[in-house]
């Protein structure tokens, strides 16, 4: 792969699927505009982080580290004591750079239904443009495998972006939750990460199905209750025409050695309580 890969535009789908959190993308966009001779100094980056992002200055190291997973942003020691940070290109070992580009064959397969999976509009009848959407954004650990891709119209795609941005502050927790093998644990860790805040049902569904599709992931909430968790829910009507359900955790329990065994044992205990012996 000797071909030079162009840097993504700050507003591009590629950058969104790569970075997700808007703070990172904002910082990238700024470094992108100031690449070349005009690269900002450490002091400027700090000021920008505080002004544009409202982030404490100590976050700068972490943000730069996150960006450097993907991009080559060396620290150039001029002037001394106040290094510059030029955005030079892709990092040599950018983790997703090789499979970031979805092959045209997979793209065609994903778009083949010719219908937005969210609103149902079609290019033919509604003149919408369809794009390939990552169900789980790459910045949350989602990959380019076909199961994680779906056709969305541009409008739904933009709406989803805005919605996901509201979860930026939780991006790292979501990324961590998504990686667990057991769906109960993915859901539980997500609820815990929100620390008593309400989590909308579609985010729970995405995280529940992140490793393998969960047809009936609400049952996994029941499983958590079997493990001693207390989970509340609430329906809200005021977001447009749609009624959303939200969940939050009131009390959580440490994970047993085997989640499946613990749930099975609890199921058996409850069943034997319902059917008195000797009947
Ligand atoms: Zn749509």
């Amino acid at each position: 792969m000797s071909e030079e890969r162009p840097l993504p535009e700050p507003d591009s789908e590629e950058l969104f699927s790569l970075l997700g959190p808007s703070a990172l993308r904002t910082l990238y966009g700024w470094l992108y505009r100031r690449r070349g001779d005009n690269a900002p100094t450490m002091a400027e980056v700090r000021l920008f982080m505080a002004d544009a992002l409202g982030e404490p200055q100590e976050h700068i190291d972490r943000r730069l580290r996150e960006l450097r997973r993907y991009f080559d942003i060396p620290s150039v020691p001029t002037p001394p004591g106040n290094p510059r940070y030029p955005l030079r290109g892709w990092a040599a070992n950018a983790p997703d750079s090789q499979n970031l580009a979805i092959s045209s064959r997979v793209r065609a397969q994903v778009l083949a239904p010719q219908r937005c999976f969210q609103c149902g509009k079609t290019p033919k009848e509604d003149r919408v443009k369809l794009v390939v959407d990552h169900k789980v954004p790459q910045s949350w650990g989602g990959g380019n495998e076909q199961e994680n891709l779906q056709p969305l119209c541009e409008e739904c795609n933009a709406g989803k972006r805005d919605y996901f941005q509201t979860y930026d502050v939780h991006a790292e927790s979501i990324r961590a939750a998504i990686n667990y093998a057991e769906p109960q644990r993915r859901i539980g860790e997500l609820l815990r990460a929100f620390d008593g805040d309400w989590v909308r049902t579609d985010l729970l569904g995405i995280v529940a199905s992140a490793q393998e599709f969960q047809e009936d992931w609400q049952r996994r909430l029941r499983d958590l209750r079997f493990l001693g968790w207390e989970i509340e829910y609430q329906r809200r009507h005021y977001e447009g025409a749609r009624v959303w359900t939200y969940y939050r955790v009131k009390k959580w329990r440490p994970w047993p050695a085997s989640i499946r065994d613990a749930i099975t044992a609890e199921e058996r205990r409850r069943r034997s309580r319902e059917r008195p012996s000797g009947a």
Side-chain angles (χ1 to χ4, degrees), residues 154-213:
E154 283 178 316
E155 197 182 329
C156 287
N157 192 237
K160 188 179 162 194
R161 277 185 201 192
D162 291 346
Y163 163 56
F164 276 16
Q165 272 184 30
T166 64
Y167 290 114
D168 272 4
V169 288
H170 298 289
E172 275 167 52
S173 313
I174 294 169
R175 197 160 42 201
I178 272 173
N179 286 319
Y180 290 106
E182 309 94 334
Q184 295 88 354
R185 189 154 182 184
R186 289 199 291 277
I187 295 172
E189 291 293 334
L190 181 69
L191 288 168
R192 269 185 56 191
F194 276 65
D195 198 23
D197 275 350
W198 294 101
V199 185
R200 206 163 88 176
T201 184
D202 49 351
L203 179 62
L204 276 169
I206 288 166
V207 171
S209 293
Q211 303 286 337
E212 78 287 340
F213 179 65

Side-chain angles (χ1 to χ4, degrees), residues 107-234:
R107 180 176 294 275
Q109 280 171 353
V110 172
L111 297 178
Q114 284 298 298
R115 182 172 57 81
C116 172
F117 272 25
Q118 201 163 297
C119 70
K121 287 184 182 165
T122 67
K124 215 171 168 186
E125 286 163 28
D126 308 288
R127 298 191 177 175
V128 295
K129 185 170 180 243
L130 295 177
V131 297
V132 173
D133 173 66
H134 287 82
K135 294 181 199 171
V136 179
Q138 287 178 304
S139 58
W140 291 4
N144 271 341
E145 61 277 12
Q146 209 169 325
E147 304 79 61
N148 192 41
L149 304 173
Q150 64 180 352
L152 285 188
C153 73
E154 283 178 316
E155 197 182 329
C156 287
N157 192 237
K160 188 179 162 194
R161 277 185 201 192
D162 291 346
Y163 163 56
F164 276 16
Q165 272 184 30
T166 64
Y167 290 114
D168 272 4
V169 288
H170 298 289
E172 275 167 52
S173 313
I174 294 169
R175 197 160 42 201
I178 272 173
N179 286 319
Y180 290 106
E182 309 94 334
Q184 295 88 354
R185 189 154 182 184
R186 289 199 291 277
I187 295 172
E189 291 293 334
L190 181 69
L191 288 168
R192 269 185 56 191
F194 276 65
D195 198 23
D197 275 350
W198 294 101
V199 185
R200 206 163 88 176
T201 184
D202 49 351
L203 179 62
L204 276 169
I206 288 166
V207 171
S209 293
Q211 303 286 337
E212 78 287 340
F213 179 65
Q214 298 289 309
E215 197 173 357
D216 190 10
W217 62 264
Q218 282 87 348
R219 275 182 74 88
R220 307 286 82 89
L221 290 169
R222 183 215 62 169
D223 292 347
L224 287 175
R225 293 189 176 105
F226 276 16
L227 296 176
W229 289 51
E230 288 176 28
I231 296 163
E232 294 181 320
Y233 77 95
Q234 189 185 72

